[in-house]
Amino acid sequence: MDNNKFVEVKNLRKVYDNGHEAIKNVSFAVKKGDLVCLLGPSGCGKTTILNILAGLLNPTSGEILFDGKSVVDVEPKDRHIGYVFQNYALYPHMTVLQNVMFPLVVGKNKKPKADAERIAQKYMELTQITELADQKPENLSGGQQQRVAIARALVQEPKILLMDEPLSNLDARLRLKIREEIRALVKSVGITTLFVTHDQEEALSIGDKIILFNDGVIQQDDLGQNFYLEPNNYFVANFVGNPVIDNFKVTKIENKLKANDFTIDIADLDQSRFKRTLADGDYLLSVRPENIFPALDGLLQATVDDVELIGRERVLKFTNDETQARSLVNLEMPIKHGDQVKLKMRLDRVFLFTPDGERVY
Amino acid sequence: MKTNQKKAWLFLAPTIIFVTLFSIYPILRAFGMSFQSGSLIDLTWTGFNNYKYIFSDPDFWLALKNTLLYAVISVPVGLAISIMLAWIIFDKVKHQSLFETTFFMPYVTSTIAIGIVFRYIFNGDYGMLNFLLRNLHMPAPDWIDDPAMSLTTIIIFGIWSSLAFNIVILMGALRNIDPNYYTIADMYGASGKDKFWRITMPQLVPTIAFLLTMNIIGAFKIYTSVYALFNGQAGVGNSGTTAVFYIYNKFQTVGTPGVAMAATVVLFLIILFATFLQRKMMKKIGEN
Ligand SMILES: Nc1ncnc2c1ncn2[C@@H]1O[C@H](COP(=O)(O)OP(=O)(O)O)[C@@H](O)[C@H]1O
Ligand SMILES: [Mg+2]
């Protein structure tokens, strides 16, 4: 038994009946008690993976191990999984209490009503919905429905909790509050959790670890901050970060990186960060908005098209080589719409990608 | 707002005119005629005499009794069988559309035609039903020609012919249930029985209520199937007479439209009451 591989997925592949390959060779492991976020844009295969883990879908090939044992041939009900569906799927004709009790009063291991009620009460207290016990789901807010769905997923005391975009139906403020509550809850129960989201900020704030998917492939499986500081590829760099990263087209000629209206001397870059020696040709230079800022000795000239205030900071928007780019500056910096600025980059923090997205610096 | 309302009335006008002409007027007319006697072209006021007549007519009471028994037995039994069959088709059968079409056939076929086929099936001597029963060593009664069996035969036929419509409507309702409800139930290890009683049935309550209303109204108006089964009669010696049969007979054969209309009004009130009662009941069930 290896607690670092409480959940292990090996070479998972899923081709739907219509021939669509939703998951292509995915492997990852989840540590016992961790809250792991499966992050990715809509349609990248997140729900497919959860459904395969839950046993609702059969993988085309690959292996799934829970606690070291293969579960590929195990029935969903015997996998010890709690699943919170994206739309919650509460039973509309049952009260909150009946919904939460449902898993306990059906099937072979059904409990006497009194026991079921006691256990349900315990989880309703934990999710703070005790006073809603006699309400029907239609009378509950999104956040309350969600707690009911979580309580229902937990009553059978599963070993693994799967949550499919549990916050996507909530308004922004509630989302912030509930995501903290969810984290606190699963940590207090100690259950290993896979949390699916398409919101990178949500993933960064809630996950012990993040697995970023795109096109049915894992792009990066890492701690949150590394998506930011050390993105694996162009997709990751652009998917994670708010405001989004700036990308400039450059061409390497001899020992220079030439853009349309600026040039960088390769000798000025941090040589230890090169993944390999650069061949001549086209590259993408990406820099996080906070690493490009107005300075007298800046290397590119730009006109500020727009200034946006986001809390403690301002985003200066400018256009370079026909693409929009952003610079994140302090609130106090006296720059306004239409100003001409010179922008400087922190060259030890920029990234270089090949045109097909591979990171080389 | 105001002009919109005017427009709405304009759009509703054709319907309102039609409903008034063909539904409301006949009802009022029937009500009026129930207090008149004489032939259709020579009606005179007669007060409650028609009502007095029908309530002292044993034929009317037999017709009412038969109709009520028919409704009380054939509707719940027919609906229960429909639910069972619909659930089996929905849950177990692969080529549902084929089955559904088959089940729907009787609904689009004339009752008279089916009735004639059933006359053969029910025939005491060479009918298919009795052939089967004899092979199973069970009593093989004379379904058509024994007065004591008339009502039973009508009920069996009524149940059979109610299945088509009920099953098609129920299948629609079953398809409308969110499949996630069952997926989740499966994940929690719910058995087929659990799923049926805890998810399917509660979800079907509104549909069942609708079908109950339709079936009860239909049952109280039973006529055609009796006519077809007994070759234009109400069974041997009028043993299978029903309310509508009584009305038709008084109107057309005996030529006393006033009496017929009095019976119509009574039947109308009974249907109204039954529907009302059934609504109340379903509401209670729906709340629990
Ligand atoms: N039953 C299915 N048959 C065929 N393609 C499907 C099916 N379900 C999902 N897909 C496709 O598989 C891809 C991944 O879907 P999904 O796992 O639901 O994505 P996500 O949850 O990340 O938004 C999508 O392109 C989707 O259209
Ligand atoms: Mg999804």
Side-chain angles (χ1 to χ4, degrees):
Chain A
M1 204 194 301
D2 182 352
N3 275 347
N4 281 322
K5 292 181 176 173
F6 190 66
V7 175
E8 193 178 8
V9 170
K10 288 189 202 162
N11 305 108
L12 195 68
R13 184 162 172 265
K14 174 69 190 178
V15 182
Y16 276 113
D17 290 339
N18 64 0
H20 178 71
E21 190 179 21
I23 307 291
K24 308 162 187 164
N25 196 11
V26 160
S27 305
F28 63 87
V30 177
K31 197 170 133 193
K32 187 168 187 168
D34 259 7
L35 197 179
V36 171
C37 280
L38 305 187
L39 174 65
S42 187
C44 72
K46 306 180 297 290
T47 302
T48 306
I49 290 184
L50 283 201
N51 285 342
I52 293 173
L53 288 177
L56 303 176
L57 275 180
N58 288 322
T60 305
S61 63
E63 181 64 285
I64 302 163
L65 303 149
F66 290 170
D67 213 359
K69 287 183 280 291
S70 172
V71 294
V72 173
D73 296 320
V74 176
E75 292 269 305
K77 66 182 166 63
D78 300 322
R79 291 194 183 190
H80 305 292
I81 275 185
Y83 196 161
V84 178
F85 284 71
Q86 184 161 7
N87 62 0
Y88 313 144
L90 298 177
Y91 296 121
H93 54 273
M94 297 184 196
T95 63
V96 166
L97 179 64
Q98 287 167 336
N99 262 294
V100 176
M101 274 168 67
F102 182 82
L104 301 171
V105 296
V106 296
K108 274 211 249 5
N109 306 322
K110 67 176 78 163
K111 296 195 158 48
K113 196 160 173 256
D115 288 0
E117 215 167 305
R118 191 174 39 73
I119 299 170
Q121 287 290 353
K122 181 177 131 195
Y123 283 94
M124 283 165 65
E125 262 164 50
L126 210 59
T127 47
Q128 301 166 15
I129 49 170
T130 319
E131 66 279 13
L132 303 173
D134 297 324
Q135 301 274 335
K136 289 267 176 74
E138 60 184 357
N139 301 327
L140 305 184
S141 69
Q144 290 169 330
Q145 289 187 26
Q146 212 229 16
R147 291 162 201 244
V148 179
I150 295 176
R152 183 176 66 177
L154 290 176
V155 285
Q156 280 190 333
E157 306 192 334
K159 293 185 186 140
I160 298 160
L161 180 63
L162 307 178
M163 304 176 99
D164 195 358
E165 312 217 13
L167 306 177
S168 60
N169 296 339
L170 308 180
D171 63 64
R173 187 174 286 271
L174 201 58
R175 218 170 339 195
L176 290 183
K177 179 164 169 277
I178 302 243
R179 78 184 186 203
E180 281 164 29
E181 284 181 14
I182 287 180
R183 185 171 165 87
L185 179 69
V186 299
K187 287 295 167 188
S188 77
V189 177
I191 188 169
T192 310
T193 304
L194 273 87
F195 181 106
V196 161
T197 175
H198 64 260
D199 180 341
Q200 47 112 4
E201 221 175 299
E202 198 168 290
L204 288 168
S205 83
I206 201 176
D208 292 315
K209 169 177 114 158
I210 297 172
I211 304 175
L212 176 56
F213 289 87
N214 191 35
D215 275 342
V217 178
I218 293 184
Q219 305 289 328
Q220 190 159 349
D221 173 353
D222 218 330
L223 299 177
Q225 73 256 24
N226 291 341
F227 286 82
Y228 206 71
L229 300 173
E230 295 296 339
N232 266 355
N233 56 40
Y234 182 76
F235 173 83
V236 177
N238 277 271
F239 192 81
V240 179
N242 185 22
V244 291
I245 203 162
D246 298 335
N247 302 299
F248 303 98
K249 286 187 204 121
V250 297
T251 308
K252 178 183 178 276
I253 303 167
E254 286 159 3
N255 56 354
K256 297 262 194 292
L257 289 172
K258 282 192 193 300
N260 235 4
D261 49 7
F262 65 90
T263 303
I264 293 172
D265 202 331
I266 289 180
D268 291 342
L269 296 174
D270 177 354
Q271 300 306 309
S272 68
R273 292 186 69 219
F274 276 103
K275 311 269 181 209
R276 57 177 165 89
T277 45
L278 295 194
D280 283 0
D282 291 336
Y283 292 92
L284 285 154
L285 177 92
S286 302
V287 56
R288 300 246 174 240
E290 61 272 32
N291 295 328
I292 179 167
F293 44 84
L296 293 175
D297 58 342
L299 78 157
L300 79 148
Q301 182 82 31
T303 313
V304 176
D305 298 333
D306 195 10
V307 181
E308 188 188 328
L309 182 66
I310 50 163
R312 279 292 306 140
E313 276 130 350
R314 269 181 214 275
V315 185
L316 311 180
K317 295 184 181 170
F318 58 96
T319 312
N320 181 271
D321 200 9
E322 290 169 358
T323 50
Q324 268 258 329
R326 291 143 295 267
S327 160
L328 193 65
V329 298
N330 202 303
L331 180 61
E332 279 91 21
M333 195 172 278
I335 292 180
K336 55 187 190 310
H337 179 117
D339 282 358
Q340 286 281 327
V341 289
K342 280 191 142 187
L343 294 158
K344 184 177 177 175
M345 297 178 203
R346 284 186 61 176
L347 293 179
D348 57 339
R349 293 284 170 85
V350 305
F351 310 113
L352 270 176
F353 302 101
T354 63
D356 48 0
E358 184 199 347
R359 182 164 157 212
V360 290
Y361 174 83
Chain B
M1 187 71 199
K2 266 274 153 61
T3 50
N4 255 351
Q5 262 183 21
K6 271 189 197 143
K7 266 191 202 150
W9 283 113
L10 202 68
F11 282 118
L12 283 172
T15 318
I16 292 174
I17 291 170
F18 263 90
V19 168
T20 317
L21 212 61
F22 293 107
S23 296
I24 297 177
Y25 172 71
I27 291 172
L28 294 177
R29 186 68 216 268
F31 190 71
M33 273 169 73
S34 71
F35 296 101
Q36 294 175 315
S37 69
S39 68
L40 264 184
I41 45 165
D42 178 26
L43 287 165
T44 52
W45 179 257
T46 178
F48 280 96
N49 278 341
N50 291 332
Y51 289 95
K52 279 186 199 137
Y53 174 83
I54 57 167
F55 284 125
S56 58
D57 182 359
D59 276 356
F60 179 71
W61 287 110
L62 177 66
L64 267 194
K65 193 187 101 188
N66 280 345
T67 310
L68 263 163
L69 272 175
Y70 173 78
V72 165
I73 298 171
S74 77
V75 171
V77 174
L79 200 51
I81 296 176
S82 307
I83 294 171
M84 220 172 63
L85 286 178
W87 172 246
I88 291 172
I89 300 169
F90 178 75
D91 198 38
K92 302 262 159 37
V93 176
K94 277 268 147 59
H95 302 287
Q96 293 183 0
S97 55
L98 178 82
F99 268 82
E100 252 187 292
T101 320
T102 321
F103 274 107
F104 205 56
M105 289 291 282
Y107 188 70
V108 293
T109 314
S110 139
T111 312
I112 297 286
I114 300 171
I116 290 165
V117 173
F118 265 76
R119 267 182 79 73
Y120 286 107
I121 296 176
F122 279 125
N123 188 288
D125 299 325
Y126 51 82
M128 198 157 71
L129 182 60
N130 276 2
F131 174 75
L132 263 173
L133 289 174
R134 283 196 196 98
N135 275 342
L136 296 168
H137 302 289
M138 297 218 284
D142 195 343
W143 299 98
I144 303 288
D145 294 328
D146 180 355
M149 288 311 291
S150 299
L151 189 60
T152 314
T153 309
I154 297 171
I155 287 174
I156 293 174
F157 184 64
I159 291 172
W160 184 85
S161 32
S162 73
L163 298 183
F165 181 71
N166 287 354
I167 287 176
V168 170
I169 300 291
L170 284 165
M171 291 290 291
L174 286 170
R175 285 210 193 87
N176 265 335
I177 300 176
D178 186 345
N180 271 340
Y181 296 159
Y182 297 109
T183 310
I184 293 179
D186 283 335
M187 285 203 50
Y188 296 129
S191 64
K193 215 172 96 194
D194 287 328
K195 283 187 279 185
F196 181 76
W197 288 109
R198 289 174 184 277
I199 301 171
T200 311
M201 275 309 265
Q203 289 279 313
L204 285 183
V205 165
T207 309
I208 293 173
F210 164 75
L211 288 176
L212 255 184
T213 311
M214 300 301 286
N215 288 355
I216 286 177
I217 293 173
F220 277 109
K221 297 200 302 198
I222 177 180
Y223 174 78
T224 328
S225 54
V226 183
Y227 186 94
L229 273 177
F230 299 108
N231 218 4
Q233 306 295 309
V236 173
N238 254 359
S239 53
T241 191
T242 66
V244 176
F245 234 102
Y246 182 87
I247 293 167
Y248 185 79
N249 184 50
K250 289 295 177 228
F251 193 93
Q252 211 63 320
T253 318
V254 186
T256 49
V259 174
M261 289 309 128
T264 305
V265 170
V266 172
L267 182 64
F268 173 75
L269 291 176
I270 291 175
I271 293 178
L272 203 68
F273 179 70
T275 314
F276 170 80
L277 207 71
Q278 173 262 326
R279 293 252 141 171
K280 272 259 142 87
M281 242 167 58
M282 287 312 284
K283 213 166 175 188
K284 261 261 160 63
I285 292 172
E287 275 162 11
N288 294 325

